[in-house]
Amino acid sequence: MSVAFRRESDEEHKEPKFELPLPSGPNMVTARGLALIEAKEAELQAAIAAGGEEEALEVLKRELRYWNTRRTTAQIAPAPEEGVVGIGSRVRIKMNGKARVIDLVGHDEADPSADRLSFQAPLAHALIGAEEGEKVDFGGKTEAIEIVAVETIPD
């Protein structure tokens, strides 16, 4: 007998909806990053409260669970030492003869197109712990990056 004659709904044949994957490792954030997470939660709660189609609401609820988890696991990174690169640092570097300014932030705050890199990114890994004036290895090259200046990201 054909499945079309036996099933009562399409629900049993839909792909399962898994939770949104969480990045591995600690959820280190800047104060700005925590504020962005809280704002996203509030936005989603308002959208859910406004109602709508059940399927759209389920998508919003799933996303809200993700952001709730990110907020509850968030740890504000301690301020880095002066002149030392850490989470919350704005770093001026020279790489391949080009100057660049990078902000090191938490995963959810990262935006590579705006030079806001997650502390888990390979370039960030190379920079963390380095001091102003130091040269660090990157991409298999010795002393590939020069740390020109390190400061705290302004609010």
Side-chain angles (χ1 to χ4, degrees), residues 7-155:
R7 76 177 166 203
E8 294 182 22
S9 74
D10 287 333
E11 292 298 315
E12 63 190 62
H13 294 285
K14 285 186 176 180
E15 289 291 320
K17 300 286 187 203
F18 298 104
E19 292 300 313
L20 296 172
L22 295 168
S24 62
N27 184 14
M28 303 301 291
V29 298
T30 63
R32 177 183 180 270
L34 182 59
L36 290 172
I37 290 170
E38 291 169 345
K40 186 66 176 177
E41 271 187 308
E43 174 190 322
L44 289 166
Q45 288 169 346
I48 291 167
E53 292 182 24
E54 189 60 36
E55 192 169 319
L57 286 174
E58 286 305 314
V59 169
L60 292 173
K61 289 176 184 176
R62 177 177 175 229
E63 193 173 344
L64 180 59
R65 287 191 299 273
Y66 171 87
W67 290 107
N68 281 334
T69 301
R70 296 304 285 170
R71 182 186 43 79
T72 59
T73 60
Q75 303 169 36
I76 294 184
E81 291 179 44
E82 191 170 323
V84 178
V85 179
I87 299 169
S89 293
R90 174 165 287 166
V91 187
R92 296 177 195 287
I93 63 170
K94 259 191 166 172
M95 188 166 75
N96 298 326
K98 295 180 182 175
R100 186 172 172 190
V101 178
I102 298 169
D103 291 347
L104 298 184
V105 296
H107 177 78
D108 297 314
E109 189 179 359
D111 180 2
S113 65
D115 285 330
R116 298 182 71 79
L117 298 183
S118 165
F119 68 95
Q120 296 172 324
L123 179 56
H125 268 286
L127 297 174
I128 289 179
E131 297 181 24
E132 202 169 286
E134 190 176 338
K135 290 185 178 182
V136 296
D137 302 342
F138 182 68
K141 295 181 184 176
T142 305
E143 298 185 348
I145 304 170
E146 179 185 353
I147 313 290
V148 177
V150 179
E151 61 188 68
T152 301
I153 299 171
D155 291 332

